[in-house]
Amino acid sequence: CMWSDRMVFEIICNPYDCNNLMQGFIGAILGAIVSVIGVWFLTRMQIYEEKKLDLARKRLEKLYGPLMLQLKVTEKISGKKDTMQGTTKQLDRVSNTIAEGFYLANVDMIDDLVELYDHLFYQQKDEKFGERIVAKIKKKYEETKRIAGVD
């Protein structure tokens, strides 16, 4: 059995075999591209979730947690619920908590915290304002606990 040039050419470059080879090669490249994009997307999502969780924990530790503690103490001292009236020392602690943790505040809480800070600094006795701000602080505290996974 002699090999002719034509037989060698047909064995090496059979169009059916070349098409299968190209389809497999293109499929492998597309699979690799989709895998890289999928891994990149999942990594970005994981980083975003970690940052969100870290921010929520910082907010609990530096702002909303201490504010809730001070709120509970002022409620106990004054005997009134949902109020920000207490001793001067207690109100100073609330003001310091706001000053130290202000950078962590949610965007929708910034104006309220500034107003609360002024309210405490000038020792105003507006109970409606106190009730409104206390309700917002409690709401943000609960939301932040949920995001941070703290129950």
Side-chain angles (χ1 to χ4, degrees):
C1 181
M2 286 269 198
W3 290 92
S4 70
D5 289 338
R6 182 163 173 79
M7 287 176 70
V8 170
F9 180 77
E10 284 180 8
I11 291 172
I12 293 174
C13 292
N14 185 345
Y16 179 73
D17 292 338
C18 288
N19 283 340
N20 283 343
L21 182 63
M22 286 302 286
Q23 287 175 352
F25 185 68
I26 290 172
I29 288 177
L30 288 176
I33 290 171
V34 168
S35 294
V36 167
I37 291 171
V39 167
W40 175 81
F41 180 75
L42 290 174
T43 303
R44 298 283 298 175
M45 291 288 290
Q46 183 179 10
I47 290 170
Y48 172 77
E49 289 299 321
E50 286 174 3
K51 285 182 178 181
K52 185 177 171 181
L53 183 64
D54 187 46
L55 179 60
R57 287 181 177 154
K58 281 183 182 177
R59 283 178 173 163
L60 276 178
E61 180 184 337
K62 304 272 185 193
L63 183 63
Y64 296 121
L67 282 176
M68 283 300 294
L69 174 66
Q70 299 303 328
L71 175 63
K72 296 291 183 188
V73 171
T74 57
E75 285 178 355
K76 187 173 183 178
I77 289 172
S78 70
K80 297 179 183 176
K81 283 187 103 30
D82 297 338
T83 184
M84 277 291 184
Q85 297 176 359
T87 65
T88 304
K89 186 175 182 179
Q90 199 61 35
L91 296 178
D92 285 344
R93 287 185 183 148
V94 174
S95 297
N96 289 339
T97 300
I98 293 170
E100 291 171 6
F102 185 74
Y103 70 100
L104 294 168
N106 298 68
V107 174
D108 59 333
M109 284 294 292
I110 290 175
D111 291 338
D112 292 319
L113 290 175
V114 168
E115 196 174 343
L116 176 60
Y117 189 81
D118 287 343
H119 180 79
L120 296 173
F121 184 76
Y122 294 111
Q123 296 183 355
Q124 299 168 354
K125 302 284 187 198
D126 183 3
E127 287 197 27
K128 289 287 184 198
F129 170 77
E131 290 173 7
R132 183 177 60 83
I133 194 70
V134 166
K136 284 187 93 170
I137 290 171
K138 285 181 177 180
K139 180 182 174 193
K140 287 298 176 185
Y141 175 72
E142 292 301 323
E143 286 176 9
T144 306
K145 272 179 45 176
R146 183 184 44 78
I147 291 169
V150 179
D151 284 326

Short mmCIF file of all heavy atoms in Angstrom, two decimals, residues 97-144:
data_model
loop_
_atom_site.label_atom_id
_atom_site.label_comp_id
_atom_site.label_asym_id
_atom_site.label_seq_id
_atom_site.Cartn_x
_atom_site.Cartn_y
_atom_site.Cartn_z
N THR A 97 -20.75 61.96 70.20
CA THR A 97 -20.99 60.81 69.33
C THR A 97 -21.31 61.27 67.92
O THR A 97 -20.78 60.72 66.95
CB THR A 97 -22.14 59.94 69.88
OG1 THR A 97 -21.80 59.48 71.18
CG2 THR A 97 -22.42 58.76 68.97
N ILE A 98 -22.14 62.28 67.80
CA ILE A 98 -22.49 62.82 66.48
C ILE A 98 -21.25 63.40 65.82
O ILE A 98 -20.98 63.14 64.64
CB ILE A 98 -23.60 63.88 66.59
CG1 ILE A 98 -24.90 63.22 67.03
CG2 ILE A 98 -23.79 64.61 65.25
CD1 ILE A 98 -25.99 64.21 67.39
N ALA A 99 -20.47 64.17 66.57
CA ALA A 99 -19.28 64.81 66.00
C ALA A 99 -18.26 63.76 65.53
O ALA A 99 -17.65 63.92 64.46
CB ALA A 99 -18.65 65.74 67.02
N GLU A 100 -18.07 62.71 66.30
CA GLU A 100 -17.07 61.70 65.96
C GLU A 100 -17.53 60.75 64.86
O GLU A 100 -16.71 60.25 64.10
CB GLU A 100 -16.69 60.91 67.21
CG GLU A 100 -15.93 61.73 68.22
CD GLU A 100 -15.74 61.02 69.55
OE1 GLU A 100 -16.11 59.82 69.66
OE2 GLU A 100 -15.24 61.65 70.49
N GLY A 101 -18.82 60.48 64.77
CA GLY A 101 -19.31 59.51 63.80
C GLY A 101 -20.06 60.11 62.64
O GLY A 101 -20.62 59.39 61.81
N PHE A 102 -20.04 61.43 62.53
CA PHE A 102 -20.83 62.11 61.51
C PHE A 102 -20.48 61.66 60.09
O PHE A 102 -21.34 61.53 59.24
CB PHE A 102 -20.64 63.63 61.64
CG PHE A 102 -21.49 64.43 60.71
CD1 PHE A 102 -22.84 64.57 60.94
CD2 PHE A 102 -20.93 65.01 59.58
CE1 PHE A 102 -23.64 65.30 60.07
CE2 PHE A 102 -21.71 65.74 58.71
CZ PHE A 102 -23.07 65.89 58.96
N TYR A 103 -19.20 61.40 59.86
CA TYR A 103 -18.76 61.00 58.51
C TYR A 103 -19.37 59.68 58.05
O TYR A 103 -19.36 59.36 56.87
CB TYR A 103 -17.23 60.94 58.44
CG TYR A 103 -16.62 59.79 59.21
CD1 TYR A 103 -16.22 58.63 58.56
CD2 TYR A 103 -16.44 59.86 60.59
CE1 TYR A 103 -15.66 57.58 59.26
CE2 TYR A 103 -15.88 58.81 61.30
CZ TYR A 103 -15.49 57.68 60.63
OH TYR A 103 -14.93 56.63 61.32
N LEU A 104 -19.92 58.91 58.98
CA LEU A 104 -20.51 57.62 58.65
C LEU A 104 -22.03 57.70 58.42
O LEU A 104 -22.65 56.71 58.05
CB LEU A 104 -20.23 56.61 59.76
CG LEU A 104 -18.78 56.22 59.96
CD1 LEU A 104 -18.60 55.46 61.26
CD2 LEU A 104 -18.29 55.40 58.79
N ALA A 105 -22.60 58.85 58.65
CA ALA A 105 -24.06 58.99 58.59
C ALA A 105 -24.59 58.76 57.18
O ALA A 105 -23.93 59.07 56.19
CB ALA A 105 -24.47 60.38 59.06
N ASN A 106 -25.78 58.18 57.11
CA ASN A 106 -26.47 58.03 55.83
C ASN A 106 -26.79 59.42 55.29
O ASN A 106 -27.01 60.35 56.06
CB ASN A 106 -27.78 57.26 56.01
CG ASN A 106 -27.55 55.86 56.51
OD1 ASN A 106 -27.14 55.66 57.64
ND2 ASN A 106 -27.82 54.89 55.67
N VAL A 107 -26.85 59.54 53.99
CA VAL A 107 -27.10 60.83 53.35
C VAL A 107 -28.38 61.46 53.87
O VAL A 107 -28.43 62.67 54.14
CB VAL A 107 -27.15 60.67 51.82
CG1 VAL A 107 -27.56 61.96 51.14
CG2 VAL A 107 -25.82 60.19 51.29
N ASP A 108 -29.43 60.66 54.04
CA ASP A 108 -30.71 61.22 54.49
C ASP A 108 -30.71 61.58 55.98
O ASP A 108 -31.66 62.19 56.46
CB ASP A 108 -31.86 60.28 54.16
CG ASP A 108 -31.72 58.91 54.79
OD1 ASP A 108 -30.58 58.49 55.04
OD2 ASP A 108 -32.74 58.25 55.01
N MET A 109 -29.66 61.22 56.70
CA MET A 109 -29.59 61.55 58.14
C MET A 109 -28.70 62.76 58.42
O MET A 109 -28.72 63.28 59.54
CB MET A 109 -29.03 60.35 58.92
CG MET A 109 -30.01 59.22 59.12
SD MET A 109 -31.40 59.66 60.16
CE MET A 109 -30.62 59.87 61.75
N ILE A 110 -27.95 63.22 57.45
CA ILE A 110 -26.98 64.30 57.69
C ILE A 110 -27.66 65.55 58.21
O ILE A 110 -27.25 66.10 59.24
CB ILE A 110 -26.16 64.57 56.41
CG1 ILE A 110 -25.22 63.39 56.16
CG2 ILE A 110 -25.37 65.87 56.53
CD1 ILE A 110 -24.44 63.46 54.88
N ASP A 111 -28.68 66.03 57.53
CA ASP A 111 -29.36 67.25 57.97
C ASP A 111 -29.97 67.08 59.36
O ASP A 111 -29.90 67.98 60.19
CB ASP A 111 -30.46 67.66 56.97
CG ASP A 111 -29.88 68.14 55.65
OD1 ASP A 111 -28.71 68.55 55.64
OD2 ASP A 111 -30.60 68.08 54.64
N ASP A 112 -30.54 65.90 59.61
CA ASP A 112 -31.15 65.66 60.92
C ASP A 112 -30.10 65.63 62.03
O ASP A 112 -30.35 66.13 63.13
CB ASP A 112 -31.93 64.34 60.91
CG ASP A 112 -33.15 64.42 60.02
OD1 ASP A 112 -33.83 65.47 60.05
OD2 ASP A 112 -33.41 63.45 59.30
N LEU A 113 -28.95 65.04 61.76
CA LEU A 113 -27.90 65.00 62.78
C LEU A 113 -27.32 66.38 63.04
O LEU A 113 -27.00 66.72 64.19
CB LEU A 113 -26.81 64.01 62.38
CG LEU A 113 -27.21 62.54 62.44
CD1 LEU A 113 -26.10 61.65 61.91
CD2 LEU A 113 -27.60 62.12 63.84
N VAL A 114 -27.19 67.19 61.98
CA VAL A 114 -26.73 68.57 62.17
C VAL A 114 -27.74 69.33 63.02
O VAL A 114 -27.38 70.05 63.96
CB VAL A 114 -26.51 69.27 60.81
CG1 VAL A 114 -26.31 70.77 61.00
CG2 VAL A 114 -25.32 68.66 60.09
N GLU A 115 -29.02 69.15 62.71
CA GLU A 115 -30.08 69.80 63.48
C GLU A 115 -30.09 69.32 64.93
O GLU A 115 -30.25 70.10 65.86
CB GLU A 115 -31.43 69.53 62.81
CG GLU A 115 -32.52 70.44 63.27
CD GLU A 115 -33.81 70.23 62.48
OE1 GLU A 115 -33.79 69.62 61.40
OE2 GLU A 115 -34.86 70.70 62.99
N LEU A 116 -29.89 68.01 65.13
CA LEU A 116 -29.83 67.46 66.48
C LEU A 116 -28.64 68.02 67.24
O LEU A 116 -28.75 68.37 68.41
CB LEU A 116 -29.76 65.93 66.45
CG LEU A 116 -29.60 65.23 67.80
CD1 LEU A 116 -30.76 65.56 68.73
CD2 LEU A 116 -29.46 63.72 67.61
N TYR A 117 -27.51 68.12 66.57
CA TYR A 117 -26.31 68.67 67.19
C TYR A 117 -26.57 70.10 67.65
O TYR A 117 -26.26 70.47 68.79
CB TYR A 117 -25.14 68.61 66.20
CG TYR A 117 -23.81 68.95 66.81
CD1 TYR A 117 -23.09 68.00 67.52
CD2 TYR A 117 -23.26 70.22 66.67
CE1 TYR A 117 -21.86 68.29 68.08
CE2 TYR A 117 -22.03 70.52 67.22
CZ TYR A 117 -21.34 69.56 67.92
OH TYR A 117 -20.12 69.86 68.48
N ASP A 118 -27.16 70.92 66.77
CA ASP A 118 -27.52 72.29 67.16
C ASP A 118 -28.53 72.30 68.29
O ASP A 118 -28.43 73.09 69.23
CB ASP A 118 -28.10 73.06 65.96
CG ASP A 118 -27.05 73.42 64.95
OD1 ASP A 118 -25.86 73.38 65.27
OD2 ASP A 118 -27.43 73.73 63.79
N HIS A 119 -29.51 71.42 68.20
CA HIS A 119 -30.56 71.30 69.21
C HIS A 119 -29.94 71.03 70.59
O HIS A 119 -30.31 71.65 71.59
CB HIS A 119 -31.50 70.16 68.80
CG HIS A 119 -32.63 69.91 69.73
ND1 HIS A 119 -33.76 70.69 69.75
CD2 HIS A 119 -32.82 68.95 70.67
CE1 HIS A 119 -34.60 70.23 70.67
NE2 HIS A 119 -34.05 69.17 71.23
N LEU A 120 -28.99 70.11 70.62
CA LEU A 120 -28.34 69.76 71.89
C LEU A 120 -27.38 70.86 72.34
O LEU A 120 -27.29 71.15 73.53
CB LEU A 120 -27.59 68.43 71.76
CG LEU A 120 -28.47 67.22 71.47
CD1 LEU A 120 -27.60 66.01 71.19
CD2 LEU A 120 -29.42 66.95 72.61
N PHE A 121 -26.67 71.46 71.40
CA PHE A 121 -25.70 72.50 71.74
C PHE A 121 -26.39 73.70 72.39
O PHE A 121 -25.90 74.25 73.36
CB PHE A 121 -24.93 72.93 70.49
CG PHE A 121 -23.84 73.92 70.77
CD1 PHE A 121 -22.64 73.51 71.33
CD2 PHE A 121 -24.01 75.26 70.46
CE1 PHE A 121 -21.63 74.42 71.59
CE2 PHE A 121 -23.01 76.18 70.73
CZ PHE A 121 -21.81 75.76 71.29
N TYR A 122 -27.53 74.08 71.83
CA TYR A 122 -28.26 75.23 72.37
C TYR A 122 -29.28 74.81 73.42
O TYR A 122 -30.03 75.65 73.92
CB TYR A 122 -28.93 76.01 71.25
CG TYR A 122 -27.91 76.65 70.32
CD1 TYR A 122 -27.75 76.19 69.02
CD2 TYR A 122 -27.10 77.69 70.77
CE1 TYR A 122 -26.81 76.77 68.19
CE2 TYR A 122 -26.16 78.26 69.93
CZ TYR A 122 -26.02 77.79 68.64
OH TYR A 122 -25.08 78.36 67.83
N GLN A 123 -29.33 73.53 73.74
CA GLN A 123 -30.22 72.97 74.76
C GLN A 123 -31.66 73.43 74.60
O GLN A 123 -32.30 73.93 75.53
CB GLN A 123 -29.69 73.30 76.17
CG GLN A 123 -28.35 72.67 76.44
CD GLN A 123 -27.85 72.92 77.83
OE1 GLN A 123 -28.45 73.66 78.60
NE2 GLN A 123 -26.74 72.31 78.16
N GLN A 124 -32.16 73.24 73.39
CA GLN A 124 -33.55 73.59 73.10
C GLN A 124 -34.45 72.49 73.64
O GLN A 124 -34.06 71.34 73.76
CB GLN A 124 -33.73 73.75 71.59
CG GLN A 124 -32.88 74.85 71.01
CD GLN A 124 -32.86 74.81 69.49
OE1 GLN A 124 -33.38 73.89 68.88
NE2 GLN A 124 -32.24 75.81 68.90
N LYS A 125 -35.67 72.83 73.94
CA LYS A 125 -36.62 71.88 74.55
C LYS A 125 -37.79 71.59 73.61
O LYS A 125 -38.93 71.58 74.02
CB LYS A 125 -37.16 72.45 75.87
CG LYS A 125 -36.11 72.78 76.89
CD LYS A 125 -35.58 71.54 77.55
CE LYS A 125 -34.64 71.94 78.69
NZ LYS A 125 -33.79 70.89 79.11
N ASP A 126 -37.52 71.33 72.36
CA ASP A 126 -38.56 71.03 71.38
C ASP A 126 -38.82 69.53 71.37
O ASP A 126 -38.07 68.76 70.79
CB ASP A 126 -38.11 71.52 70.00
CG ASP A 126 -39.17 71.31 68.94
OD1 ASP A 126 -40.27 70.84 69.27
OD2 ASP A 126 -38.88 71.62 67.78
N GLU A 127 -39.91 69.09 72.01
CA GLU A 127 -40.19 67.66 72.14
C GLU A 127 -40.59 67.02 70.82
O GLU A 127 -40.28 65.86 70.58
CB GLU A 127 -41.26 67.42 73.21
CG GLU A 127 -40.70 67.63 74.59
CD GLU A 127 -41.58 67.00 75.66
OE1 GLU A 127 -42.28 66.01 75.36
OE2 GLU A 127 -41.56 67.51 76.78
N LYS A 128 -41.29 67.76 69.96
CA LYS A 128 -41.69 67.20 68.65
C LYS A 128 -40.45 66.86 67.83
O LYS A 128 -40.39 65.83 67.19
CB LYS A 128 -42.57 68.20 67.88
CG LYS A 128 -43.94 68.35 68.46
CD LYS A 128 -44.76 67.12 68.18
CE LYS A 128 -46.17 67.33 68.69
NZ LYS A 128 -46.89 66.11 68.86
N PHE A 129 -39.47 67.77 67.87
CA PHE A 129 -38.23 67.50 67.16
C PHE A 129 -37.55 66.27 67.74
O PHE A 129 -37.08 65.40 67.01
CB PHE A 129 -37.27 68.69 67.24
CG PHE A 129 -35.89 68.37 66.73
CD1 PHE A 129 -35.65 68.29 65.38
CD2 PHE A 129 -34.85 68.10 67.61
CE1 PHE A 129 -34.39 67.96 64.91
CE2 PHE A 129 -33.60 67.78 67.15
CZ PHE A 129 -33.37 67.71 65.79
N GLY A 130 -37.50 66.18 69.05
CA GLY A 130 -36.88 65.04 69.72
C GLY A 130 -37.53 63.73 69.32
O GLY A 130 -36.85 62.75 69.02
N GLU A 131 -38.85 63.70 69.28
CA GLU A 131 -39.57 62.48 68.91
C GLU A 131 -39.28 62.08 67.46
O GLU A 131 -39.07 60.91 67.16
CB GLU A 131 -41.08 62.69 69.08
CG GLU A 131 -41.52 62.79 70.53
CD GLU A 131 -42.99 63.16 70.67
OE1 GLU A 131 -43.70 63.21 69.65
OE2 GLU A 131 -43.41 63.42 71.81
N ARG A 132 -39.26 63.08 66.58
CA ARG A 132 -39.01 62.80 65.16
C ARG A 132 -37.59 62.26 64.94
O ARG A 132 -37.40 61.26 64.27
CB ARG A 132 -39.22 64.08 64.34
CG ARG A 132 -39.04 63.89 62.84
CD ARG A 132 -39.34 65.16 62.07
NE ARG A 132 -38.48 66.27 62.42
CZ ARG A 132 -37.25 66.46 61.91
NH1 ARG A 132 -36.75 65.59 61.05
NH2 ARG A 132 -36.54 67.50 62.26
N ILE A 133 -36.61 62.92 65.54
CA ILE A 133 -35.22 62.50 65.33
C ILE A 133 -34.95 61.15 65.99
O ILE A 133 -34.23 60.32 65.45
CB ILE A 133 -34.22 63.58 65.79
CG1 ILE A 133 -32.81 63.28 65.26
CG2 ILE A 133 -34.15 63.67 67.29
CD1 ILE A 133 -32.66 63.46 63.81
N VAL A 134 -35.54 60.91 67.14
CA VAL A 134 -35.36 59.62 67.82
C VAL A 134 -35.95 58.50 66.97
O VAL A 134 -35.34 57.43 66.82
CB VAL A 134 -35.99 59.65 69.23
CG1 VAL A 134 -36.11 58.27 69.81
CG2 VAL A 134 -35.16 60.54 70.15
N ALA A 135 -37.10 58.74 66.38
CA ALA A 135 -37.71 57.73 65.52
C ALA A 135 -36.82 57.42 64.32
O ALA A 135 -36.65 56.26 63.94
CB ALA A 135 -39.09 58.20 65.06
N LYS A 136 -36.21 58.46 63.72
CA LYS A 136 -35.32 58.24 62.58
C LYS A 136 -34.05 57.50 62.99
O LYS A 136 -33.58 56.63 62.26
CB LYS A 136 -34.97 59.58 61.92
CG LYS A 136 -36.10 60.14 61.08
CD LYS A 136 -35.67 61.35 60.33
CE LYS A 136 -35.20 60.93 58.95
NZ LYS A 136 -34.97 62.06 58.05
N ILE A 137 -33.51 57.85 64.14
CA ILE A 137 -32.30 57.16 64.62
C ILE A 137 -32.61 55.69 64.87
O ILE A 137 -31.83 54.81 64.47
CB ILE A 137 -31.75 57.84 65.90
CG1 ILE A 137 -31.16 59.20 65.55
CG2 ILE A 137 -30.69 56.96 66.57
CD1 ILE A 137 -30.78 60.04 66.75
N LYS A 138 -33.74 55.41 65.50
CA LYS A 138 -34.12 54.01 65.75
C LYS A 138 -34.29 53.25 64.44
O LYS A 138 -33.86 52.10 64.31
CB LYS A 138 -35.41 53.94 66.57
CG LYS A 138 -35.22 54.27 68.03
CD LYS A 138 -36.54 54.15 68.78
CE LYS A 138 -36.35 54.40 70.26
NZ LYS A 138 -37.62 54.28 71.00
N LYS A 139 -34.92 53.88 63.46
CA LYS A 139 -35.13 53.25 62.16
C LYS A 139 -33.79 52.94 61.49
O LYS A 139 -33.58 51.83 61.00
CB LYS A 139 -35.98 54.16 61.27
CG LYS A 139 -36.25 53.60 59.90
CD LYS A 139 -37.06 54.57 59.07
CE LYS A 139 -37.20 54.05 57.65
NZ LYS A 139 -37.71 55.07 56.74
N LYS A 140 -32.88 53.90 61.47
CA LYS A 140 -31.58 53.69 60.84
C LYS A 140 -30.77 52.65 61.60
O LYS A 140 -30.03 51.86 61.01
CB LYS A 140 -30.79 55.00 60.76
CG LYS A 140 -31.32 55.93 59.73
CD LYS A 140 -31.23 55.33 58.35
CE LYS A 140 -31.87 56.22 57.32
NZ LYS A 140 -31.91 55.63 56.01
N TYR A 141 -30.91 52.64 62.91
CA TYR A 141 -30.21 51.65 63.73
C TYR A 141 -30.68 50.24 63.35
O TYR A 141 -29.86 49.34 63.13
CB TYR A 141 -30.47 51.93 65.21
CG TYR A 141 -29.90 50.91 66.15
CD1 TYR A 141 -28.53 50.83 66.36
CD2 TYR A 141 -30.72 50.02 66.83
CE1 TYR A 141 -27.99 49.89 67.24
CE2 TYR A 141 -30.20 49.08 67.70
CZ TYR A 141 -28.83 49.02 67.90
OH TYR A 141 -28.31 48.08 68.76
N GLU A 142 -31.98 50.05 63.24
CA GLU A 142 -32.53 48.74 62.88
C GLU A 142 -32.12 48.34 61.47
O GLU A 142 -31.78 47.19 61.21
CB GLU A 142 -34.04 48.71 63.06
CG GLU A 142 -34.50 48.80 64.50
CD GLU A 142 -33.96 47.67 65.37
OE1 GLU A 142 -33.84 46.52 64.89
OE2 GLU A 142 -33.65 47.94 66.54
N GLU A 143 -32.19 49.28 60.52
CA GLU A 143 -31.79 48.99 59.14
C GLU A 143 -30.32 48.59 59.07
O GLU A 143 -29.95 47.64 58.37
CB GLU A 143 -32.01 50.22 58.24
CG GLU A 143 -33.43 50.52 57.90
CD GLU A 143 -33.58 51.81 57.09
OE1 GLU A 143 -32.56 52.38 56.66
OE2 GLU A 143 -34.72 52.24 56.91
N THR A 144 -29.49 49.32 59.79
CA THR A 144 -28.06 49.05 59.77
C THR A 144 -27.74 47.71 60.43
O THR A 144 -26.88 46.98 59.95
CB THR A 144 -27.30 50.20 60.47
OG1 THR A 144 -27.68 51.44 59.87
CG2 THR A 144 -25.80 50.04 60.32
#
